[in-house]
Amino acid sequence: MYALFTLLAGACQSAMGSLNRMLTDYVGMFGMSLVVHAVGGILLILYMKLFVHEKLKISGMPWYLYSAGFFGIFLVVTSSYCIGVLGVSVVTCLSVTGQLVISAVIDHFGWFGVPRIPFNLKRLPCFALILAGLIIITLS
């Protein structure tokens, strides 16, 4: 079930990037990001009020956890901008490659409270295949 949700999330990310790029033509790059985050925030508030009945608590967290918002805005703005130049396939491949590399680093060092999973040389062929796929998609 989690794998299916993750696949759907990936599909939504590519569709969202394309729609965001179109939205940029109407409201500009930062206006698009504002619209995306405002609509998302409103929908989450409605969902929480109607189904979860959970109060939103944003105090008492370490200050650096708010940086997740920066990463969200950065992801939306940069991917939407780059889709207009590089296309959805190349942006998605580059994005996934970046995610895989940093996730291996995060796992290796156990950053952000995740269990430490040291990098294993058996993973190198997988990374080489991903790099080869990225090169092929980018050059085609």
Side-chain angles (χ1 to χ4, degrees):
M1 183 61 82
Y2 293 111
L4 177 62
F5 284 153
T6 304
L7 285 170
L8 289 172
C12 288
Q13 187 174 2
S14 291
M16 180 185 76
S18 301
L19 292 170
N20 288 350
R21 182 66 200 147
M22 292 171 61
L23 184 57
T24 299
D25 293 337
Y26 291 95
V27 294
M29 188 62 64
F30 296 103
M32 172 274 302
S33 186
L34 178 63
V35 168
V36 166
H37 288 89
V39 170
I42 291 167
L43 291 174
L44 282 172
I45 290 169
L46 286 173
Y47 180 80
M48 290 173 69
K49 290 287 186 192
L50 295 174
F51 300 106
V52 180
H53 308 294
E54 179 180 309
K55 286 190 174 186
L56 183 61
K57 180 184 172 196
I58 58 172
S59 62
M61 298 187 305
W63 65 270
Y64 55 85
L65 293 180
Y66 292 98
S67 67
F70 167 78
F71 289 125
I73 290 170
F74 186 80
L75 171 67
V76 167
V77 169
T78 56
S79 64
S80 300
Y81 175 75
C82 293
I83 281 173
V85 177
L86 301 173
V88 179
S89 296
V90 172
V91 169
T92 301
C93 287
L94 287 167
S95 177
V96 168
T97 302
Q99 290 174 48
L100 289 169
V101 170
I102 195 63
S103 65
V105 172
I106 291 169
D107 279 347
H108 180 76
F109 292 106
W111 291 346
F112 309 118
V114 302
R116 188 174 179 277
I117 302 171
F119 188 79
N120 183 323
L121 290 179
K122 292 179 184 177
R123 291 183 176 185
L124 283 180
C126 298
F127 279 88
L129 285 171
I130 290 165
L131 181 60
L134 176 62
I135 292 168
I136 291 167
I137 290 285
T138 303
L139 297 177
S140 63

